[in-house]
Amino acid sequence: MGRNAIQFQKGLSFPEFQQRYGTEAQCEEALAQIRWPDGFRCPRCDGAVHGLVYGRRLKRYQCRQCSHQSTVTAGTIMEATKLPLTIWFLAFYLIGQAKTGISSLQLSRQLGVAYNTAWMLHGKILRAMSERDESYLLQGRVQIDDAYFGGERPGGKAGRGSENKVPIVAAISLNAEGHPIHAKISPVPGFTLEALADWARQHLSSSCSVLSDGLACFRSVAAAGCSHAAVVTGGRHPNDLPEFRWINILLSNLKTSFSGTFHAFDFDKYGKRYLGGFCFRFNRRFKMAEMTERIANAACVCKPCPERALRVAEHYA
Ligand SMILES: [Zn+2]
């Protein structure tokens, strides 16, 4: 990984963040810019002509054509929030800057809100990041591997088949020079041919040439039209093979993140959005200065999600 390119890039400093997103009006304007870069459009009738109604916390955009009233948060994951937008933006910032992730507990301390509030906010933001990343497919050369996460001990491949752990598939695409581009990490129902075929159809384009170890289920990436080659590890630990360098680095970063900040994390239930959030950050690691805005963007395109839906265990398929 290009050290200079990633680790020494210019990010968004905290003073710069405060300068840009320090007030409610600034955050409201930032959301309006993200949602309607070419000016307001009515979500009901697509009309552009509107008036502004002041008086409540957020100003209302009233459509002249159909009289529908809208706000910058209506129809997004932030809909009907009681929290100031500055708290949302500070959460976008903290989640985006935390290289090894942040726990809801840390978030609650840093935002100065109750743990439950931070948990909800964190869950919603991770969900938005996760959904945003689901929308594209990996292309070209791809390394793929299996692992187990959750349970009592974080990470590790030693326990293939062990109980209380969630099977996950990790994949990373490489460019022509062999540098990592995009990562996808998802929980799967199991390491079966069927589960991997479903996974491949959802996450890989047919242009992919996939490299895996000899685990049988990986050959079903062919279901997505990809070519596949398996490296026979011949008794060596796959971590020692240069062919799998990037996927190993990715999984090792994930373990660090998980064990460092998510001890109390209910991975069995919420692993999907956690992994999606991890990949979102990884996939934008060259653009640290834009991270806050990109998370705000993900929050704008994500549909509202009531608390009860957020507490339900996610589907892995
Ligand atoms: Zn309208």
Side-chain angles (χ1 to χ4, degrees):
M1 204 172 287
R3 218 171 223 214
N4 292 328
I6 297 173
Q7 295 184 346
F8 291 88
Q9 70 178 295
K10 189 174 164 3
L12 183 67
S13 71
F14 192 60
E16 283 169 325
F17 167 82
Q18 279 178 307
Q19 225 165 35
R20 210 178 288 182
Y21 304 112
T23 69
E24 282 298 285
Q26 283 176 310
C27 294
E28 191 175 2
E29 182 51 31
L31 292 180
Q33 281 298 323
I34 290 169
R35 296 197 65 191
W36 307 301
D38 304 314
F40 173 78
R41 305 297 285 208
C42 172
R44 185 181 286 168
C45 75
D46 205 37
V49 186
H50 65 282
L52 293 172
V53 183
Y54 294 90
R56 300 207 204 163
R57 201 163 62 80
L58 295 176
K59 65 173 174 262
R60 309 209 152 225
Y61 294 73
Q62 181 158 11
C63 175
R64 287 268 156 82
Q65 204 161 282
C66 76
S67 298
H68 180 70
Q69 285 195 350
S70 192
T71 67
V72 286
T73 58
T76 76
I77 196 89
M78 297 164 281
E79 184 171 281
T81 182
K82 293 188 179 72
L83 291 169
L85 296 179
T86 47
I87 293 288
W88 279 90
F89 271 81
L90 187 52
F92 299 154
Y93 179 74
L94 294 171
I95 291 170
Q97 300 296 308
K99 190 180 173 234
T100 54
I102 185 167
S103 67
S104 298
L105 189 59
Q106 282 172 286
L107 207 53
S108 81
R109 286 189 189 122
Q110 295 198 257
L111 297 175
V113 299
Y115 176 77
N116 275 346
T117 306
W119 187 91
M120 288 291 298
L121 199 57
H122 198 195
K124 286 186 178 189
I125 294 169
L126 287 178
R127 182 188 177 105
M129 292 163 80
S130 184
E131 276 188 16
R132 187 85 182 128
D133 248 29
E134 266 173 26
S135 57
Y136 65 85
L137 303 174
L138 293 183
Q139 315 269 348
R141 280 172 64 193
V142 169
Q143 296 177 352
I144 187 171
D145 204 0
D146 61 295
Y148 279 92
F149 257 76
E152 279 181 303
R153 284 151 152 239
K157 192 166 174 170
R160 257 182 193 171
S162 63
E163 307 239 339
N164 301 325
K165 292 198 171 204
V166 178
I168 64 169
V169 167
I172 191 163
S173 65
L174 308 178
N175 65 12
E177 291 79 44
H179 296 305
I181 304 299
H182 280 114
K184 290 259 188 194
I185 311 179
S186 348
V188 288
F191 297 121
T192 62
L193 288 167
E194 196 192 356
L196 263 288
D198 284 347
W199 180 88
R201 278 189 287 258
Q202 220 180 323
H203 299 293
L204 304 179
S205 81
S206 57
S207 74
C208 290
S209 55
V210 179
L211 187 72
S212 72
D213 66 13
L215 192 65
C217 64
F218 287 135
R219 68 172 184 265
S220 61
V221 295
C226 310
S227 63
H228 175 232
V231 172
V232 179
T233 53
R236 279 172 302 169
H237 200 267
N239 289 5
D240 301 331
L241 296 174
E243 292 92 327
F244 295 109
R245 178 170 174 228
W246 290 115
I247 195 76
N248 288 328
I249 289 174
L250 182 73
L251 282 170
S252 134
N253 286 351
L254 180 64
K255 277 174 213 168
T256 307
S257 166
F258 187 79
S259 57
T261 49
F262 288 86
H263 355 256
F265 189 78
D266 200 342
F267 195 83
D268 296 0
K269 277 173 86 176
Y270 309 121
K272 188 176 169 186
R273 64 183 178 233
Y274 167 69
L275 294 171
F278 177 88
C279 288
F280 182 102
R281 269 195 312 270
F282 179 86
N283 292 338
R284 288 157 189 78
R285 66 201 179 283
F286 295 109
K287 301 190 167 149
M288 285 305 291
E290 295 168 30
M291 194 69 86
T292 304
E293 194 189 340
R294 281 163 182 253
I295 297 176
N297 190 76
C300 284
V301 293
C302 188
K303 295 276 168 277
C305 169
E307 175 166 358
R308 62 180 183 283
L310 206 63
R311 292 198 180 273
V312 168
E314 295 164 326
H315 283 292
Y316 292 158

